[in-house]
Amino acid sequence: MYLWLAIDVDRQLASARRAAEQLSPSIGDGHPALTLPLHVSVRMSFPIPKQDAPDLIRRIDAYFGTISPFRIAARKIEKCGDTVRIRMRGGRMLRKIHRDLLALTQREFGIPPHPLDGDFVFHTTLFVHSDARAVDRAYAALRQIPLPKYLTASRLLVGCSETGRADDYRVLRATILRNLTGVESCALRMCATELSTAVMRSDPFEQQ
């Protein structure tokens, strides 16, 4: 199976989502980008043996619990290959989360980084299409959508897919971030480290 990790920005980009939804039927099916909440991925999706997924998700949940809400700067709407996307500024917290997740998945579960993790571009995809002309038309229609200057990262998502296809992912877990004191943050980070060897009762797949 495949896992996907992201920041939920769907409500904050509601106008952009509506524009993309209205656009797709007239240009072509760009809805694979809209089967999930609009989001900013914090690591490339990756395959993992199904039997290992519950342990990894528990570790990710514990790590997400150490993060306080933070701001993300929205830069611009751009065209990139077969997508139209909102490019985000890769600030300190986004970079740190990306590095931490790469280290966690590789060190504890032997999952190597994806080649695109090497020069990771934080973004929100609005439209996807294999026809370059459709992408050009979508970009022309979406490029002037007003964007908020900043988004707030306050909800982190874990998604899964049996196939790895873009239209096959679903949200599995959501973690609401809260403001932490220095003492709380330190304690939670210690707990997150200990969870790598702890046995936890709840299985995230049982909640679906």
Side-chain angles (χ1 to χ4, degrees), residues 104-156:
L104 187 159
T105 52
Q106 185 164 27
R107 181 182 65 245
E108 299 184 25
F109 295 87
I111 301 168
H114 188 280
L116 292 178
D117 279 312
D119 188 19
F120 197 71
V121 176
F122 297 97
H123 66 276
T124 296
T125 301
L126 297 176
F127 184 89
V128 179
H129 205 289
S130 58
D131 185 340
R133 292 170 299 179
V135 176
D136 288 341
R137 292 196 295 272
Y139 176 62
L142 297 173
R143 63 185 299 182
Q144 299 302 326
I145 294 173
L147 298 175
K149 186 174 181 180
Y150 293 102
L151 306 172
T152 300
S154 61
R155 189 169 184 260
L156 297 179

Side-chain angles (χ1 to χ4, degrees), residues 5-175:
L5 312 172
I7 299 164
D8 183 356
V9 293
D10 195 73
R11 290 187 178 182
Q12 298 174 79
L13 294 173
S15 60
R17 183 182 184 92
R18 284 194 299 270
E21 288 173 339
Q22 293 166 4
L23 174 69
S24 292
S26 64
I27 291 182
D29 186 10
H31 278 86
L34 305 175
T35 55
L36 289 166
L38 291 185
H39 59 272
V40 181
S41 292
V42 288
R43 188 203 191 284
M44 291 297 295
S45 57
F46 54 90
I48 182 171
K50 195 166 187 175
Q51 67 271 18
D52 293 339
D55 286 340
L56 176 53
I57 291 170
R58 285 191 283 264
R59 288 288 292 116
I60 292 168
D61 281 347
Y63 171 69
F64 281 174
T66 69
I67 302 170
S68 295
F70 62 96
R71 294 199 309 179
I72 302 171
R75 293 183 59 189
K76 62 180 179 178
I77 295 175
E78 65 181 13
K79 182 177 60 173
C80 181
D82 62 354
T83 68
V84 178
R85 66 189 190 181
I86 303 171
R87 184 161 184 156
M88 308 297 176
R89 188 175 302 280
R92 180 182 63 83
M93 275 304 299
L94 280 178
R95 296 291 180 194
K96 181 180 186 306
I97 292 169
H98 182 246
R99 288 195 305 270
D100 287 350
L101 289 173
L102 288 178
L104 187 159
T105 52
Q106 185 164 27
R107 181 182 65 245
E108 299 184 25
F109 295 87
I111 301 168
H114 188 280
L116 292 178
D117 279 312
D119 188 19
F120 197 71
V121 176
F122 297 97
H123 66 276
T124 296
T125 301
L126 297 176
F127 184 89
V128 179
H129 205 289
S130 58
D131 185 340
R133 292 170 299 179
V135 176
D136 288 341
R137 292 196 295 272
Y139 176 62
L142 297 173
R143 63 185 299 182
Q144 299 302 326
I145 294 173
L147 298 175
K149 186 174 181 180
Y150 293 102
L151 306 172
T152 300
S154 61
R155 189 169 184 260
L156 297 179
L157 305 175
V158 177
C160 68
S161 166
E162 292 298 326
T163 65
R165 296 196 318 267
D167 61 352
D168 188 46
Y169 279 90
R170 61 188 176 92
V171 174
L172 187 66
R173 300 289 289 259
T175 299

